[in-house]
Amino acid sequence: MRTKKKPPERKRPGYFGRFGGRFVPETLSVPLEELARSFRRVAREKGFQRGLDTLLKTYAGRPTPLFFARRLTEYCGGARIWLKREDLLHTGAHKINNCLGQALLAERMGKRRIIAETGAGQHGVAAATAAALLGIECEVYMGEEDMARQEINVFRMEVLGARVIPVRTGSKTLKDACSEALRDWAASFASTYYLLGSTVGPDPYPRMVRDFQAVIGRETKRQFRSVAGRLPDFLVACVGGGSNSLGFFHPFRSDPVEFVGVEAGGAGLKSGRHAASIIRGRPGVLHGSYSYLLQDGGGQVQPTHSISAGLDYPGVGPEHSHYFASGRASYVSVTDRQAFDAALLLSRREGIIPALESAHAVAWSCRLARKLPKNRHIIICLSGRGDKDLETIRKERGGSLPNCVG
Ligand SMILES: *Cc1c(COP(=O)(O)O)cnc(C)c1O
């Protein structure tokens, strides 16, 4: 469903500048409208917000600490580096913030079934967790290719009571799982809630997921003010679909704080094997919204690569496209190699094994810190923990690691 005439930018709901929108078949307009209405209602409801806050606190483990990385700061030299510890949350990453919010919304809307898409299985596990907590049936679409690569997460979802539905279309990966979930939803929305995993897809998902993740930035702002009595200078986060970064940035959007989004540079931008959707992409429509996208000359979506499964997606949330086009945030990329080294660096300097996704932000922050004076402050959103990546790290090093103290 394309809009024929473009109304003035600011007045278009669901748009961030010229990005976003609802490019979906007619059959999805009804459930998206119902979802937008319900979200608007609960956003104003004290009872809903209180219920969510209680779960975030007593179940997920919020607030997460803001930690001054003293030994990492000394190593990098220059600006002070802080970590917002989303890795300490239940299920090991920020994804649970969004899943608890949306699962509560599904319950409020009276839906008896939740469906979700997943790539590496991280979002599928968080969605299955939230569904189990609330006693709602859960089915997760996952590409067959990904299922083979992520057996443990498939099993984890099954242990949590969810059913994993193999997707055999297209490249049998995340983008195909996403398409299948949308197809299911178009036929089942009367009883089914579609729990999307990042700030992507048709409106209202990008703004809704961001709002559920904005708890990261709100806490960071309060915590940093109480220890430093001021605002930080830089916020740095990795960008896959964009949910940890946008949730982290959003509460600072009107403040004099610089935002840096770190994309997956994979084997290097020149190699063509990467997932740098903003830096190397062009605007186009994927999964119902208009945003930067890795595509070839004919508009075909390009295959992506990253050492970190969570960043391995050819698109990016439309709000990031707007931040990029308007210059509000800057975007950089970090290669597999650099992310890998940063993961080891953080492990040895601070005793924290980060997710390889988050390690991209660590790598860039260290380079940034070096160029800045000591009285500047950088906060990294440490989106997840590295337990899930140990096997990747082991394979990368052929089982041998330098036995040094970082
Ligand atoms: C999924 C994931 C990401 C990427 O997703 P965003 O929506 O961009 O936040 C980053 N870090 C971790 C640990 C993840 O699991």
Side-chain angles (χ1 to χ4, degrees):
M1 191 187 66
R2 285 189 150 75
T3 36
K4 287 173 200 84
K5 211 173 111 225
K6 283 192 181 173
E9 283 196 356
R10 275 177 203 295
K11 301 225 172 75
R12 289 195 295 173
Y15 276 83
F16 306 92
R18 63 195 178 93
F19 302 100
R22 248 181 229 175
F23 296 87
V24 295
E26 207 60 61
T27 44
L28 280 173
S29 310
V30 174
L32 286 169
E33 200 40 56
E34 185 199 12
L35 179 61
R37 238 186 355 257
S38 304
F39 177 60
R40 198 178 313 131
R41 186 156 16 94
V42 299
R44 288 191 303 244
E45 246 179 54
K46 285 230 171 66
F48 181 90
Q49 295 302 329
R50 220 178 293 128
L52 178 56
D53 286 349
T54 301
L55 280 185
L56 289 171
K57 183 174 163 190
T58 62
Y59 182 74
R62 303 213 71 93
T64 58
L66 177 67
F67 173 69
F68 173 54
R70 183 180 61 81
R71 295 191 67 243
L72 180 68
T73 297
E74 280 167 8
Y75 175 87
C76 300
R80 288 163 183 264
I81 302 176
W82 302 72
L83 308 173
K84 177 59 174 163
R85 300 286 313 273
E86 295 300 291
D87 60 311
L88 291 176
L89 288 172
H90 181 43
T91 67
H94 68 289
K95 287 192 169 77
I96 194 73
N97 300 324
N98 171 47
C99 286
L100 287 175
Q102 288 201 57
L104 269 186
L105 179 56
E107 182 184 57
R108 176 61 58 90
M109 290 170 75
K111 306 293 182 187
R112 295 184 304 275
R113 174 177 174 254
I114 282 175
I115 54 171
E117 82 296 335
T118 199
Q122 296 303 111
H123 171 58
V125 167
T129 300
L133 174 72
L134 299 181
I136 303 175
E137 178 192 348
C138 180
E139 297 193 299
V140 181
Y141 284 91
M142 188 169 187
E144 216 169 36
E145 193 72 31
D146 290 333
M147 283 179 74
R149 286 190 291 201
Q150 308 288 341
E151 275 178 55
I152 287 292
N153 273 342
V154 173
F155 188 59
R156 202 169 273 147
M157 287 182 259
E158 288 169 354
V159 168
L160 289 161
R163 192 163 80 90
V164 181
I165 305 176
V167 174
R168 301 192 174 93
T169 50
S171 55
K172 302 175 186 152
T173 59
L174 175 60
K175 74 176 172 43
D176 313 290
C178 203
S179 305
E180 284 304 315
L182 282 168
R183 201 163 299 144
D184 178 320
W185 198 40
S188 65
F189 63 79
S191 61
T192 296
Y193 183 95
Y194 178 25
L195 205 172
L196 216 162
S198 190
T199 42
V200 299
D203 178 71
Y205 285 106
R207 59 188 164 95
M208 181 168 73
V209 176
R210 177 204 65 204
D211 285 354
F212 283 135
Q213 292 291 3
V215 64
I216 306 174
R218 281 197 304 273
E219 278 176 15
T220 303
K221 197 167 180 174
R222 197 178 60 228
Q223 291 168 320
F224 192 75
R225 187 184 292 138
S226 89
V227 288
R230 49 165 288 188
L231 287 165
D233 300 289
F234 288 87
L235 299 182
V236 181
C238 64
V239 178
S243 69
N244 86 87
S245 47
L246 289 170
F248 188 44
F249 297 166
H250 191 67
F252 293 89
R253 67 196 178 283
S254 308
D255 298 320
V257 174
E258 292 197 40
F259 300 160
V260 184
V262 186
E263 295 196 298
L269 295 183
K270 287 202 192 87
S271 73
R273 296 183 65 238
H274 58 76
S277 319
I278 293 182
I279 303 180
R280 280 291 180 267
R282 283 181 296 116
V285 172
L286 177 66
H287 297 138
S289 81
Y290 182 70
S291 192
Y292 273 81
L293 171 63
L294 289 170
Q295 50 188 322
D296 64 21
Q300 284 290 96
V301 177
Q302 278 177 340
T304 53
H305 163 80
S306 171
I307 191 174
S308 58
L311 304 184
D312 206 347
Y313 178 69
V316 66
E319 192 167 14
H320 272 302
S321 294
H322 182 52
Y323 273 168
F324 175 64
S326 65
R328 177 62 188 89
S330 49
Y331 295 85
V332 297
S333 73
V334 154
T335 63
D336 288 351
R337 181 81 239 171
Q338 292 163 334
F340 178 87
D341 290 345
L344 274 192
L345 176 67
L346 191 67
S347 301
R348 277 129 191 250
R349 297 293 303 191
E350 301 291 354
I352 297 170
I353 306 176
L356 286 170
E357 290 84 359
S358 324
H360 285 71
V362 175
W364 186 265
S365 298
C366 195
R367 280 156 70 178
L368 176 64
R370 217 161 268 163
K371 293 185 229 144
L372 296 169
K374 286 183 171 18
N375 63 357
R376 301 289 220 99
H377 298 267
I378 299 170
I379 309 181
I380 300 171
C381 184
L382 206 72
S383 55
R385 68 177 83 123
D387 306 41
K388 68 181 179 63
D389 296 317
L390 287 175
E391 191 53 30
T392 308
I393 294 174
R394 198 167 67 88
K395 278 195 189 127
E396 193 81 10
R397 274 294 164 99
S400 77
L401 285 173
N403 182 19
C404 63
V405 178

